[in-house]
């Protein structure tokens, strides 16, 4: 029998949370849940057309983690980073990386009074 094509891959490294996710995703044949660190797990499933990064180091070490995230995308693929504070002043390594990277076309969208996201397409 041919393998089912998976159109969504999600990764969670916390085993308890992953177990909850597994229950909720049960029956969705197009979704693959991986348990582990996305930095280790996702490259075997790449490339992706969309990468939603809501965890896992981009905020702490964008210069180290960012290039690995970009490598997961097809050309023209889109990376979304949420949880940014609208109007934040002062240095912001995540904004500096994503908005200044020569391999990305990126913009920031304010989605609520407390939330902004960056949407970045790989050139
Ligand atoms: C902001 S929460 C988002 C949870 C869920 N996606 C949601 O929207 O409710 C971040 C999650 O990412 C997980 N996480 C953090 N770093 C990770 C990593 N390097 N690889 C995989 N999962 C990670 C955490 O355990 C946590 O459950």
């Amino acid at each position: 029998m041919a393998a089912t094509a998976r159109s969504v891959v999600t990764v969670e490294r916390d085993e308890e949370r992953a177990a909850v996710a597994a229950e909720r995703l049960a029956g969705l044949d197009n979704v693959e849940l991986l348990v582990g660190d996305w930095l280790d797990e996702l490259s075997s499933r790449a490339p992706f057309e969309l990468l939603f990064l809501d965890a896992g180091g981009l905020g702490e070490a964008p210069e180290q983690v960012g290039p690995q995230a970009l490598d997961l995308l097809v050309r023209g693929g889109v990376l979304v980073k949420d949880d940014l504070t609208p109007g934040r002043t002062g240095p912001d390594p995540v904004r500096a990386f994503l908005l200044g990277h020569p391999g990305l076309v990126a913009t920031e969208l304010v989605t609520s009074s407390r939330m902004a996201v960056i949407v970045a397409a790989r050139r």
Side-chain angles (χ1 to χ4, degrees), residues 17-27 33:
R17 291 180 186 175
V20 174
E23 281 177 27
R24 294 184 182 174
L25 296 171
L33 170 66

Side-chain angles (χ1 to χ4, degrees), residues 5-71:
R6 303 294 178 91
S7 55
V8 176
V9 180
T10 184
V11 191
E12 172 56 60
R13 71 178 175 188
D14 179 284
E15 291 190 5
E16 285 182 25
R17 291 180 186 175
V20 174
E23 281 177 27
R24 294 184 182 174
L25 296 171
L28 298 177
D29 292 339
N30 65 320
V31 181
E32 181 179 21
L33 170 66
L34 303 174
V35 183
D37 192 315
W38 71 270
L39 288 155
D40 301 324
E41 301 294 335
L42 281 184
S43 58
S44 65
R45 306 301 197 274
F48 297 97
E49 293 176 343
L50 175 66
L51 181 63
F52 175 50
L53 260 183
D54 68 346
L58 190 63
E60 294 78 38
E63 293 295 339
Q64 292 163 22
V65 171
Q68 195 166 335
L70 300 193
D71 281 346

Side-chain angles (χ1 to χ4, degrees), residues 79 81 84 98-99 104-110 116-121:
L79 182 152
K81 173 71 184 92
L84 301 170
L98 292 174
L99 297 173
L104 293 171
V105 178
T107 192
E108 181 170 334
L109 306 171
V110 177
V117 302
I118 290 178
V119 179

